[in-house]
Amino acid sequence: MAGIYIHIPFCKQACHYCDFHFSTTMKKKDEMIAALIHEIHLRKNEINEPVETIYFGGGTPSVLSNAEIDAILETIFSLFDVVENPEITLEANPDDLNTDRIIELSKSKINRLSIGIQSFYEEDLQLMNRAHNAEEALQCLKTATQYFDNISIDLIYGMPNMSLDKWRSNVNLALSLNIPHISSYALTVEPKTALATLIKKGKIANTDDGLAHEHFLALVEMLENAGFVHYELSNFGKPEYFSKNNSAYWLRKKYVGIGPSAHSFDGENRSWNIANNAIYIQKIQANELPNEVETLSIQDRYNEYVMTGLRTIWDVSLSKIDNDFGTAYLNYLLENAAYFIKKEQLIIENNVLKTTLKGKFFCDGIASELFMID
């Protein structure tokens, strides 16, 4: 099974924390849609497996009209072997999801919504420079749950001056709406973002790792008590509601990324398109793929497996390390993991290395210490 990701590089406005590739001008939207469809044609032979997931990410894909979304989907269905009931996700912002739009989407091939709520509090949304307000966040979910069964929302924790009680209220409100999937991320200060500049100028307090850790532990406890499975560091799903798209990435299934800055993986190579709208369109119009390709070494594959294993419920199989990478890699892993096992951040059970709750929040840093680096 394989997946297709479509990057829609447009947003109404720039969120203060975001460093993804996007443009706030829609002037080239028609050209971009045509280029996306053309790229799909150019890459029609890259996947031989049935396609089980199609994901519109960005950017803000909900700025597209239903006709534009349908045109892209019709192209995919005409060129690829798509399974009978694929997971087709649209990332959307609450301000794009009024009742009429939700009903319209429910009649399309889209069967999963990923909605960028981030917070149900007005002051948080203003701090992040989100395009929607708190009322729109709540209202769109109340309506969306009437027409869509499979809904995911994003929530951000670790915001400056966000109390633990306030964070718990955010999570409780999401639970009260019976949302079956929640993706939650710590607010991260990325270089060259508006947030980094505001913090540097002292206009916004800096993030607090200790507070973010408290928020994370509360999130895990609340969602697991509510029947969610913490299947990846930032993702929680009710049984049967895990994101098939995201799970495919972590399980190293093949996927093709369409659009500027989109990444692809064919089992041996990773590639990524140029993160420039004008050059992307120009190259595609000239029947050229504007991408770079990297062939993964055995070391790269080991490092990726350790990273995804520690972040997910699939963990790191010591047998797989030995069989796929060799005894030298297994010994290296065990030697470097010993420190974190002693700190009770990692544990070995049934020949599997996994993070404990104490270590989960720090798993990216732990994984980096287990990487094999020349």
Side-chain angles (χ1 to χ4, degrees):
M1 295 293 184
I4 295 176
Y5 171 84
I6 304 104
H7 187 83
I8 307 299
F10 300 112
C11 288
K12 290 179 181 177
Q13 63 190 53
C15 298
H16 283 161
Y17 56 86
C18 184
D19 69 342
F20 288 178
H21 172 67
F22 65 92
S23 169
T24 54
T25 174
M26 307 284 177
K27 288 180 181 177
K28 292 181 179 285
K29 192 172 78 155
D30 290 347
E31 287 180 80
M32 180 60 70
I33 301 300
L36 293 173
I37 289 172
H38 193 166
E39 186 186 359
I40 295 169
H41 279 275
L42 291 176
R43 304 182 68 183
K44 64 183 179 181
N45 296 322
E46 289 189 24
I47 293 179
N48 297 318
E49 296 88 345
V51 171
E52 66 173 343
T53 70
I54 302 169
Y55 192 99
F56 287 85
T60 311
S62 53
V63 300
L64 299 190
S65 69
N66 270 43
E68 290 166 335
I69 293 170
D70 287 345
I72 294 170
L73 287 174
E74 285 170 12
T75 305
I76 292 171
F77 274 76
S78 70
L79 297 175
F80 295 89
D81 176 19
V82 181
V83 300
E84 188 173 344
N85 293 303
E87 177 189 88
I88 306 180
T89 303
L90 179 77
E91 286 186 355
N93 278 350
D95 46 296
D96 293 325
L97 295 180
N98 59 32
T99 300
D100 288 344
R101 184 71 197 281
I102 290 170
I103 292 173
E104 190 180 15
L105 285 170
S106 73
K107 296 175 181 176
S108 73
K109 286 186 168 70
I110 301 294
N111 54 29
R112 184 175 184 270
L113 295 178
S114 178
I115 305 175
I117 298 296
Q118 316 309 356
S119 177
F120 292 102
Y121 286 91
E122 198 68 45
E123 60 269 25
D124 297 337
L125 297 172
Q126 290 176 3
L127 182 148
M128 291 183 279
N129 198 40
R130 295 291 292 169
H132 69 277
N133 59 44
E135 184 180 345
E136 286 173 322
L138 195 56
Q139 189 54 53
C140 89
L141 289 179
K142 287 180 177 178
T143 305
T145 51
Q146 296 176 37
Y147 294 93
F148 282 86
D149 172 57
N150 201 350
I151 296 175
S152 176
I153 65 168
D154 290 349
L155 292 176
I156 290 181
Y157 60 86
M159 277 188 279
N161 303 318
M162 176 185 273
S163 69
L164 184 56
D165 284 345
K166 185 178 179 184
W167 171 240
R168 286 181 177 275
S169 295
N170 255 330
V171 178
N172 276 325
L173 190 45
L175 291 174
S176 73
L177 294 164
N178 293 317
I179 304 300
H181 189 280
I182 295 175
S183 296
S184 193
Y185 309 90
L187 182 65
T188 305
V189 185
E190 301 290 352
K192 300 180 182 179
T193 59
L195 179 62
T197 301
L198 291 168
I199 289 173
K200 187 176 180 180
K201 291 181 177 179
K203 294 184 177 181
I204 294 177
N206 204 346
T207 54
D208 180 338
D209 289 344
L211 181 62
H213 190 202
E214 283 186 34
H215 289 175
F216 175 78
L217 293 176
L219 174 72
V220 172
E221 178 187 29
M222 294 173 73
L223 293 187
E224 288 187 344
N225 286 342
F228 284 76
V229 178
H230 188 194
Y231 71 103
E232 193 271 342
L233 178 64
S234 303
N235 287 274
F236 303 77
K238 290 283 185 71
E240 307 300 324
Y241 286 96
F242 295 2
S243 167
K244 291 181 181 178
N245 173 79
N246 293 351
S247 297
Y249 295 159
W250 304 318
L251 294 171
R252 296 176 58 79
K253 294 184 180 181
K254 295 181 182 179
Y255 57 90
V256 168
I258 303 295
S261 82
H263 286 235
S264 303
F265 177 60
D266 66 5
E268 296 180 359
N269 306 288
R270 292 200 181 279
S271 62
W272 53 94
N273 286 345
I274 191 167
N276 180 297
N277 289 2
I279 296 176
Y280 168 80
I281 291 171
Q282 180 185 0
K283 292 284 188 181
I284 292 295
Q285 287 175 341
N287 294 319
E288 297 177 30
L289 292 178
N291 63 5
E292 293 183 50
V293 181
E294 176 190 16
T295 300
L296 298 180
S297 66
I298 186 171
Q299 186 171 294
D300 294 329
R301 290 187 282 112
Y302 161 83
N303 291 343
E304 286 190 2
Y305 178 62
V306 169
M307 171 65 83
T308 56
L310 292 185
R311 285 185 65 103
T312 68
I313 58 171
W314 296 289
D315 304 317
V316 178
S317 165
L318 300 183
S319 297
K320 181 176 175 65
I321 293 287
D322 196 14
N323 293 334
D324 290 6
F325 307 107
T327 304
Y329 279 87
L330 176 61
N331 291 339
Y332 178 87
L333 175 66
L334 293 174
E335 181 182 333
N336 286 277
Y339 170 76
F340 298 102
I341 292 172
K342 188 174 181 180
K343 289 182 69 176
E344 298 180 340
Q345 292 181 328
L346 292 178
I347 190 172
I348 295 176
E349 287 181 347
N350 301 319
N351 211 34
V352 165
L353 180 70
K354 61 179 73 175
T355 52
T356 63
L357 177 58
K358 186 177 178 181
K360 183 67 76 174
F361 182 74
F362 306 103
C363 69
D364 286 350
I366 294 171
S368 69
E369 295 296 322
L370 305 181
F371 286 170
M372 180 81 77
I373 299 173
D374 291 330

